[in-house]
């Protein structure tokens, strides 16, 4: 198992917590020097807050733990390609990389806009997708199928 798969499995565990709480099953972890320093899952329904995406909650927790808004040298692992809001937060937090599992097939993911955002915020962010893509995609598909039934 690669390091990326190890940390994506940690993000998947968070996503499963979301599913049990009837939230869209997305999970995230922030890693620094090979150790998870923050974990989070979607909490929009529970918090009644549109910004409680897994990525943002994980970034807030990592910032609090490190005592700094800059997460230089940290990497984010998330089960779904981040949305534009979360992508902006990743750049602003100065994360080194974002690795995601499932691609956002709705077209609302970050990849099409990453280059533009990078130039605007003057920070380079490495983006990697498709890590444990099948498991991440199936978790989301199963959740939405159960909602339709």
């Amino acid at each position: 198992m690669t390091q990326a798969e190890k940390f994506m499995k940690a993000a998947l565990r968070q996503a499963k917590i979301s599913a049990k709480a009837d939230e869209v099953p997305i999970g995230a972890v922030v890693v620094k020097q090979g150790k998870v320093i923050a974990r989070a899952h979607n909490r929009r329904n529970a918090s009644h807050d549109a910004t409680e995406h897994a990525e943002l909650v994980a970034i807030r927790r990592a910032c609090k733990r490190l005592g700094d808004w800059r997460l230089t040298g940290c990497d984010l692992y998330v089960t779904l390609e981040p949305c534009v809001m979360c992508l902006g937060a990743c750049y602003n937090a100065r994360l080194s990389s974002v690795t995601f599992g499932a691609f956002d097939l709705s077209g609302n993911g970050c990849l099409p806009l990453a280059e533009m955002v990078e130039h605007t915020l003057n920070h380079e962010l490495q983006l990697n997708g498709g890590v444990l893509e099948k498991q991440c995609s199936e978790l989301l598909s199963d959740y939405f199928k159960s909602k339709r039934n």
Side-chain angles (χ1 to χ4, degrees), residues 5 13-17 29 34 42 52 54 62 83 91 95 108 114 116 123 126 132-133 137 141 148:
E5 291 170 337
R13 286 191 291 276
Q14 290 297 307
K16 289 174 183 174
I17 293 170
V29 297
N42 268 7
E52 290 284 293
C83 70
Y91 277 102
L95 286 164
N108 294 321
M116 180 180 70
H123 174 69
Q126 183 180 349
L132 300 182
E133 181 178 7
S137 293
S141 294
R148 286 190 293 272

Side-chain angles (χ1 to χ4, degrees), residues 18-121:
S18 283
K20 287 180 184 174
D22 200 24
E23 300 271 359
V24 175
I26 301 170
V29 297
V30 177
V31 175
K32 183 169 180 128
Q33 298 174 337
K35 295 184 180 169
V36 174
I37 62 166
R39 293 173 172 78
H41 55 275
N42 268 7
R43 297 183 22 81
R44 291 188 308 172
N45 293 335
S47 67
H48 307 290
D49 183 342
T51 67
E52 290 284 293
H53 288 203
E55 300 95 312
L56 295 183
V57 176
I59 288 169
R60 286 182 195 121
R61 289 177 178 170
C63 289
K64 186 173 182 176
R65 179 158 184 194
L66 296 178
D68 195 350
W69 63 268
R70 292 174 199 87
L71 297 179
T72 307
C74 294
D75 304 295
L76 177 76
Y77 293 82
V78 61
T79 56
L80 178 64
E81 181 182 351
C83 70
V84 175
M85 174 179 68
C86 292
L87 176 67
C90 292
Y91 277 102
N92 277 302
R94 305 301 191 252
L95 286 164
S96 296
S97 71
V98 174
T99 300
F100 60 89
F103 288 85
D104 186 342
L105 301 178
S106 70
N108 294 321
C110 68
L111 289 180
L113 298 172
E115 187 175 320
M116 180 180 70
V117 173
E118 188 169 294
H119 292 297
T120 303
L121 297 176

